[in-house]
Amino acid sequence: DIQMTQSPSSLSASVGDRVTITCRASQSISGYLMWYQQKPGKAPKLLIYAASALKSGVPSRFSGSVSGTDFNLTISGLQPEDFATYYCQQSYNRPRTFGPGTKVDIK
Amino acid sequence: QVQLQESGPGLVKPSQTLSLTCDVSGVSISSDVYYWSWIRQLPGRGLEWIGYIYYIGTTYYTPSLQSRATISIDTSKNQFSLKLTSVSVADTAVYYCAREEYGLDVWGQGTTVTVSS
């Protein structure tokens, strides 16, 4: 199985901040990387697919990028509704695997 | 609008079989574009992919659950199902069904299943 790691595991930020979360896979996954947002008691919501493609309807302050073997999710100008837990997931092969999550809370 | 809705017992006794159904609306489950997935989330934990099924019945399961999980599809009812045998308290979780195309792009709201005697 491909192991996914995320850093940091949690962070505190203020409204308006720029926040970056990093995900790394235990082997090459090409660009088969997704980002999800989950709020308490709710199902995850797909934000980014194929590492950098923004799902329709997702605000443009969310962006995905690749730097070497690191996949990054950046929120440019954190909004109150963005406080949540973020997960990465690979779909390069099976089984699909998720990162452990990054909780973004209010400073 | 595509919607997925899980249903099934919220309480299952240890050693019994967990059975859940996902009703799909707004899209045909017979489409050759999508995989139909089950994911679970243990209490206070992250997400665990259980497996998926393709419209022709092809399945794949995560190795740790492969011996106990069965995903099936009923195209006449536009639904797919999960059975997990020999459950234990460790299977207590929120179970989600989801559609996969480029990522898991549509999710059900989730259903909580508690394993307890």
Side-chain angles (χ1 to χ4, degrees):
Chain A
D1 300 4
I2 297 176
Q3 305 304 313
M4 308 298 293
T5 58
Q6 286 183 236
S7 61
S9 57
S10 65
L11 66 90
S12 295
S14 300
V15 172
D17 283 354
R18 177 185 172 96
V19 166
T20 297
I21 299 167
T22 298
C23 177
R24 184 174 292 176
S26 60
Q27 66 182 72
S28 174
I29 58 170
S30 188
Y32 292 87
L33 190 283
M34 322 298 163
W35 288 101
Y36 301 86
Q37 175 194 67
Q38 187 179 33
K39 296 181 181 179
K42 299 294 186 182
K45 172 187 170 184
L46 179 65
L47 301 175
I48 301 282
Y49 62 95
S52 61
L54 192 68
K55 186 188 174 190
S56 175
V58 174
S60 58
R61 62 181 179 272
F62 291 93
S63 63
S65 63
V66 184
S67 177
T69 59
D70 289 348
F71 296 87
N72 298 310
L73 172 69
T74 299
I75 311 171
S76 301
L78 203 62
Q79 296 299 302
E81 60 267 30
D82 300 337
F83 292 97
T85 300
Y86 294 85
Y87 295 93
C88 62
Q89 178 235 331
Q90 64 82 20
S91 64
Y92 180 73
N93 66 9
R94 302 165 302 195
R96 309 301 196 220
T97 47
F98 292 88
T102 295
K103 185 175 182 180
V104 177
D105 63 19
I106 302 172
K107 184 183 290 182
Chain B
Q1 181 185 2
V2 179
Q3 291 185 313
L4 281 65
Q5 177 69 58
E6 305 89 351
S7 62
L11 180 64
V12 182
K13 294 185 184 325
S15 80
Q16 293 191 341
T17 297
L18 177 161
S19 296
L20 297 174
T21 296
C22 182
D23 288 302
V24 178
S25 59
V27 65
S28 173
I29 205 169
S30 299
S31 169
D32 63 358
V33 173
Y34 309 112
Y35 288 88
W36 302 97
S37 308
W38 286 98
I39 301 101
R40 70 180 183 179
Q41 188 164 33
L42 305 179
R45 304 290 298 277
L47 299 162
E48 179 181 29
W49 186 82
I50 298 171
Y52 66 36
I53 190 164
Y54 193 46
Y55 78 106
I56 54 174
T58 306
T59 54
Y60 192 90
Y61 305 98
T62 196
S64 63
L65 295 174
Q66 185 166 10
S67 63
R68 297 194 293 128
T70 301
I71 299 174
S72 58
I73 193 165
D74 187 336
T75 55
S76 67
K77 295 182 179 178
N78 219 45
Q79 64 184 203
F80 63 109
S81 301
L82 169 69
K83 290 189 187 300
L84 190 64
T85 61
S86 304
V87 299
S88 71
V89 294
D91 295 308
T92 293
V94 177
Y95 286 77
Y96 296 100
C97 58
R99 182 182 82 172
E100 177 179 323
E101 185 187 8
Y102 299 109
L104 295 156
D105 65 337
V106 183
W107 293 65
Q109 65 185 26
T111 187
T112 300
V113 178
T114 301
V115 179
S116 175
S117 55

